[in-house]
Amino acid sequence: MTNLPPPAEELRFLDAELRQLDVRRATLLRRRAWLVHTLQATAARQPALGPGTAPVGPPAGTGAAARRPEATAPGVQNVLLVLGGVLLTIAAIAFTLVSWGHLGIAGRALVLGALTVGALGAPVALLRRGLRSTAEAVAALGTALTVLDAYALHEVAFPGTDGAGYTATASAVLAALWAVYGVHLGLRHPLPLAVATAHLPLLLGAIAVGAGPYTLTAVSLATAAGGAAVALRAALLPVRIVAVTGALGTGAAGVLSAGWLGWSASGPGPAARAAALLLVAAALALVAGRFVPRPEISVGAAFAAGLCVVAGAGGVLRVTVPGEWTVPGYLACAIALLAAERTRLHHPLRQGLVRASAAVQGFAVLWTLPLVAGCVLGPAVRGAGAWSGTPRDFRDAVFAGLPRPPYAGTAPLVLAVVAAVLVVAGHRTARRPAVTVAAPVLGWAAALVLPVVLQLPYAAGLVAHAVVVAAALFFAVRFGRADKRPSPPSLTALLLALVTSVGLALVSLASEPATIAVLGTLTVLFAAAGLRPGPAPFAAPAALCHATALACAIGASAGRPPHHTALLVLVVPAVAALIASRTGGSRTGGSRTGGSRATVPVEVAGAAAGLLALALAAPEPPMLALVLSLCGAVAAATALRPERRAAGWAAAALFLLATWVRLAAWDVAAPEAYTLPVTGPALIVGLLRRRRDAAVSSWTAYGSGLAVTLVPSLLAAWDDQHWLRPLALGVAALAVTLAGARHRLQAPLVLGPGVLALVALHELTPYLAQVVGALPRWAPPAVAGLVLLILGATYEQRLRDARRLREALGRLG
C-alpha cells in the first residue's frame, strides 16, 4: 500500500513544485523576448546590406519581409472602399441630374430602382461572407441613392408640391427607413444619418405651414428634446455625437429666438409667451443634466437652465416696470434662483444654477461700471478749474465735462444688493477671502455713487464722501490683523479710502472754503488712522500728502506768492522727519505710529514735500537758498539716527547748494567762492579720519577736497589776464606741495606740483610763443625726428641684447 503524506505536507510539496514551474516559465519568457528582439533588429538591418552580403535573420520560409510596410492592410482597404463609394455616389448624382432627361419614365424608374435595390441588398450577402467594411461602403451608396430617389420622385410625381413640405415628409420617411435598415442589418452609418435627418421634419413642416416665430421656437425646442433623448439612450458613440450636436444646435437656436422674442416684446402677453418658451428650455436642460453621467456636463446644463429662467422672468418684469428698473428686475430673478441651493436637486444641478445666478449678478455689476468709473475719474477733469465757483449740485461737480450714463438711478441699489448677497453667501462658500474683499468694494461703490444719483447739494456730497473715507479707514483699523500687517480686507479698505480721498480732494477744488476744509479733514482722518500699526504704512504718508496740499491751499488762500508758500510746505518734511525718528529705531513696531514698516513711506512722503517746496521756491534764488538750508537742516537731523547716517551726505549737499545759490544771488562770479566752502570741511573731515585710521590713503582723505578748489581755479586762471589769481593759486599749490613733502603724502605731492607747473607754464606761455616764433619752421620736425631715431636705436639695441642672452643660454644647454 502507498504511504500517502499528510494533507499539510502534500500542500507544501505542491507549492514548491509550482514555484519551480513559475521560475522556469519566467526564464523561458525572457529568452523568448531576447530572440524576438534579435530577429526584429536583424530584419531592420537587412535593407542596408550590400548585394553580396548574406542576410542574417530568420530562416527562409518564415515570410519575413525585407521592408516594413508604410500602410496597414485595413487602412488600404478603408481608403479603397471609401473612395469607391464616393465615386459611385458622384456618378449616381451626375446621372440623376444630367442624364435623367434621356430616358423615359419606365427607364428612369427601372435604372434608379435597380441601383437602389441592388445597393441596399448587396450588404446582406456581404455580411454573410464577413465583408463588413465592404458592406458598409455599399450600404452608404444605397443611402445616397435613396436621397436621389426622393428627389426624382418629387420631380416626376409631385412637381407642384411645396418644397419645404415635401422635404419634411421625405426626411421623416428616409430617417425611419435608414433607422430600420441599420438596426436590421447591424450597420453603423445608417443610424447616425437617421438621427441627423430626424432633426429636419418638424422644423421644415412648421416652415411649410407658415408658423410664426413662437411656433418655430417651440418646434426647435421640441427637436432639441428629441435629440437629447436619443443622446441619453443611444449605445453607439457616433449616434450620441450626432444627437448631442443636433440637440445643442437646435436648442441654442430655440433659446436665442425665445430670448430675442422676450427682449423685443412690447407687452406682458408676448413677454409671457417668450418666458414660457424659455422655461421649457430650462426644464429640458435640467432633465438632460440630471441623467448625464458626467458632472461637469450637468453643471453646464444647469447653468444654461438658470440663465433661461432669469431671462424669461426678467423679460416679463421688463415690460411691466420703468426702464431704469430693468437691471434690478433681472437681478431679483437671479437672487431668487439662489433658492435652488436649499432644494433636493442633484448637486451638480444646484451648482450650475448658483453659477448662473452669480453670472447674472456679475453682469448687473458691470452695468453700473460706467457710473462708478465716472465718479472716480470725473473729479480729475473737474480739477482743471480750481476755485471756479460752487457747482449747482454734487453731480455737476463730479461729471463736469463727462457724459452721464442713462438709467443710472438704480445703480446704488444694484451694488448694495449684490454686496449684501456676497456677505450672506460668504459664510457658506469656500472662497470666503475673495468674498470678503469683493463685498466691501461693492459697498464702497454703492456709497460712492449714491450722492451723485440723488443729486445732493455740493456741500452734502462732500460730507457724504468724507464719511465714506472715514468708514473705510474705520473698517481698515477695526479689521486689521494683530500681527500689524494689514489683512486683505483691511488693505482693500485702505486703498478704497485713498482713492476716495483723492477724488474728494479734486472735487473740493471747485470752492476755496471747501478745499481747505476737505484737505484739513482728510489730513486729520489719515493721521488718526496712521496711529495704528496696520494702516500706518499707508495712512501716515497719505496724511502727509494731504497736509502738503493743505499747506499749498492755505498759502494760495492767503494770497502769498509760491516762494513764500514753500516755507509753509517745509513744515511737512520736518513733521515727517520727527515721525520717522520715532518709528525708525523700532524693529518690532512698538511705536504708536506703526513701527519700522511706516518709516520709509513717511520719509518718502516728506522728501516729496521737500522737492515740492524747492520747486515752489525755484523762481526766487534768495528764497531758494533759504529753503535749501532748511531742507539741509531736516536732513542733518535725520542723519543723527544711527540707521540714517547716509542722510548726512544729502545734508552737506543741500547746505552747499544753498551756499552756491546765495552766492549766485549776490552775483558772485569767482569760482573760489563756490569751491572753498567745500574744500575746507572736506579737508577737516579727511584730517579727522586719518587721525582715527592711519591706513586711510591721502587720496581718500584729501584728494577730493584739494581737487574741488585747485582744478576750477586752474581753469579760471588759464583764461585770466590779471596776475592776482595765478599768483594766489601758485602760492596755494606751493603750500600744498610743501605740506605733502613735510608729511610724505602722495595726493598733495601730485596735485600741488601739477597745478604749480601748469600755472608756471601759463605764465611762461607768451615767452615760449616768442621763442617758438623765432625758431625756423624746420626745427620742430627735426627735433621730433631726432627723438624718434634715438628711441628706435635704443629699442633695437635692447632687442639685440635679448637675442644674445638667448643664444648664450642655448650654448649652455
Side-chain angles (χ1 to χ4, degrees):
M1 297 179 63
T2 304
N3 187 15
L4 298 175
E9 185 67 23
E10 185 178 3
L11 180 61
R12 283 194 296 271
F13 175 76
L14 293 177
D15 290 339
E17 290 293 332
L18 290 174
R19 284 194 296 272
Q20 292 179 1
L21 290 176
D22 290 338
V23 172
R24 180 60 178 168
R25 185 175 183 275
T27 303
L28 293 176
L29 288 175
R30 286 196 298 271
R31 179 62 179 174
R32 181 183 181 279
W34 180 83
L35 291 173
V36 171
H37 176 72
T38 302
L39 292 175
Q40 291 178 350
T42 304
R45 288 196 302 270
Q46 279 183 1
L49 297 177
T53 306
V56 179
T62 59
R67 294 182 181 272
R68 185 173 300 175
E70 296 182 356
T72 61
V76 175
Q77 165 195 299
N78 293 334
V79 169
L80 295 176
L81 292 176
V82 171
L83 182 58
V86 170
L87 292 177
L88 288 174
T89 304
I90 293 174
I93 294 173
F95 171 77
T96 304
L97 298 178
V98 178
S99 301
W100 180 257
H102 300 289
L103 299 176
I105 296 178
R108 302 170 188 173
L110 180 62
V111 172
L112 276 181
L115 290 177
T116 304
V117 172
L120 294 178
V124 178
L126 293 174
L127 289 174
R128 290 177 181 177
R129 297 192 177 190
L131 304 176
R132 174 168 291 276
S133 298
T134 307
E136 291 280 356
V138 176
L141 175 61
T143 54
L145 288 175
T146 55
V147 178
L148 296 177
D149 290 336
Y151 169 74
L153 184 62
H154 176 269
E155 293 296 325
V156 174
F158 307 101
T161 58
D162 180 57
Y166 179 81
T167 305
T169 305
S171 59
V173 173
L174 289 177
L177 290 177
W178 291 343
V180 173
Y181 181 70
V183 172
H184 180 69
L185 295 182
L187 299 174
R188 292 186 176 183
H189 83 278
L191 289 179
L193 289 176
V195 173
T197 308
H199 288 80
L200 300 177
L202 287 178
L203 289 173
L204 294 176
I207 295 174
V209 299
Y214 290 95
T215 304
L216 288 176
T217 303
V219 169
S220 297
L221 295 177
T223 305
V230 173
L232 293 173
R233 298 299 300 271
L236 296 177
L237 180 60
V239 175
R240 290 203 301 270
I241 293 176
V242 172
V244 169
T245 304
L248 290 178
T250 55
V255 170
L256 293 176
S257 176
W260 174 253
L261 292 174
W263 184 258
S264 60
S266 58
R273 290 196 295 271
L277 293 174
L278 289 172
L279 292 178
V280 170
L284 293 177
L286 289 176
V287 172
R290 176 62 182 85
F291 294 101
V292 171
R294 298 179 62 178
E296 58 272 16
I297 299 179
S298 298
V299 172
F303 179 81
L307 293 181
C308 291
V309 171
V310 174
V316 175
L317 292 177
R318 185 187 65 83
V319 298
T320 57
V321 297
E324 62 182 5
W325 289 93
T326 299
V327 175
Y330 282 100
L331 179 61
C333 298
I335 294 174
L337 195 63
L338 292 175
E341 183 68 22
R342 298 183 178 274
T343 61
R344 296 184 178 181
L345 287 174
H346 195 46
H347 177 69
L349 298 181
R350 287 186 279 122
Q351 189 177 4
L353 293 175
V354 171
R355 291 184 180 181
S357 175
V360 175
Q361 295 180 52
F363 281 115
V365 172
L366 289 178
W367 171 75
T368 65
L369 190 58
L371 179 62
V372 177
C375 292
V376 174
L377 302 177
V381 179
R382 179 65 186 180
W387 295 354
S388 57
T390 304
R392 291 181 302 175
D393 53 43
F394 195 68
R395 188 177 68 176
D396 290 339
V398 173
F399 278 92
L402 292 178
R404 301 171 185 176
Y407 300 115
T410 56
L413 177 63
V414 170
L415 292 169
V417 169
V418 176
V421 172
L422 288 177
V423 171
V424 174
H427 301 285
R428 300 193 304 269
T429 181
R431 300 178 179 178
R432 187 172 181 179
V435 171
T436 55
V437 171
V441 171
L442 294 177
W444 163 81
L448 186 70
V449 302
L450 184 61
V452 176
V453 171
L454 297 179
Q455 299 184 17
L456 295 179
Y458 177 67
L462 294 177
V463 173
H465 276 200
V467 171
V468 172
V469 175
L473 291 175
F474 175 78
F475 185 88
V477 173
R478 177 66 178 80
F479 294 95
R481 294 189 300 197
D483 59 356
K484 300 175 184 177
R485 293 184 178 274
S487 60
S490 177
L491 181 60
T492 303
L494 282 173
L495 296 178
L496 296 178
L498 290 173
V499 172
T500 310
S501 66
V502 172
L504 178 59
L506 293 175
V507 172
S508 67
L509 291 177
S511 173
E512 178 180 345
T515 301
I516 297 176
V518 166
L519 291 176
T521 302
L522 292 177
T523 302
V524 173
L525 289 176
F526 281 98
L531 297 176
R532 301 298 296 270
F538 301 90
L544 294 175
C545 292
H546 289 301
T548 303
L550 177 62
C552 295
I554 292 175
S557 178
R560 308 305 301 173
H563 57 275
H564 289 172
T565 306
L567 297 176
L568 187 59
V569 174
L570 281 178
V571 177
V572 177
V575 174
L578 179 62
I579 296 174
S581 65
R582 300 183 61 189
T583 61
S586 176
R587 292 292 181 184
T588 59
S591 176
R592 292 183 301 169
T593 52
S596 58
R597 289 188 305 110
T599 303
V600 174
V602 166
E603 290 174 343
V604 170
L611 292 177
L612 178 61
L614 293 176
L616 293 174
E620 293 292 331
M623 186 60 68
L624 178 60
L626 177 60
V627 172
L628 285 170
S629 300
L630 294 177
C631 290
V634 174
T638 303
L640 296 177
R641 293 156 46 198
E643 72 277 8
R644 290 291 184 267
R645 295 301 188 195
W649 297 99
L654 290 171
F655 284 131
L656 180 61
L657 288 175
T659 304
W660 287 356
V661 171
R662 173 54 65 181
L663 291 174
W666 288 337
D667 296 330
V668 176
E672 291 78 10
Y674 297 89
T675 58
L676 288 177
V678 181
T679 297
L683 293 178
I684 294 174
V685 171
L687 178 62
L688 295 176
R689 186 174 182 183
R690 278 186 58 84
R691 286 183 178 180
R692 187 169 59 250
D693 186 4
V696 176
S697 67
S698 61
W699 288 103
T700 303
Y702 307 118
S704 59
L706 292 174
V708 165
T709 295
L710 293 178
V711 174
S713 297
L714 178 63
L715 295 177
W718 198 261
D719 292 332
D720 196 347
Q721 303 298 326
H722 301 281
W723 58 270
L724 182 58
R725 176 177 279 113
L727 178 61
L729 182 59
V731 172
L734 179 61
V736 170
T737 303
L738 295 176
R742 172 69 178 81
H743 298 283
R744 297 180 181 179
L745 299 177
Q746 187 179 28
L749 283 175
V750 172
L751 294 175
V755 172
L756 184 59
L758 291 175
V759 171
L761 180 63
H762 172 265
E763 295 301 319
L764 295 177
T765 298
Y767 304 102
L768 293 177
Q770 293 178 3
V771 172
V772 172
L775 291 175
R777 294 188 177 183
W778 54 266
V783 173
L786 181 61
V787 171
L788 292 177
L789 286 176
I790 294 173
L791 291 177
T794 304
Y795 187 70
E796 183 181 5
Q797 183 180 1
R798 290 180 179 178
L799 289 177
R800 185 188 60 187
D801 295 340
R803 185 167 55 252
R804 289 179 178 178
L805 179 61
R806 185 173 64 250
E807 293 175 354
L809 292 176
R811 286 194 299 269
L812 290 176

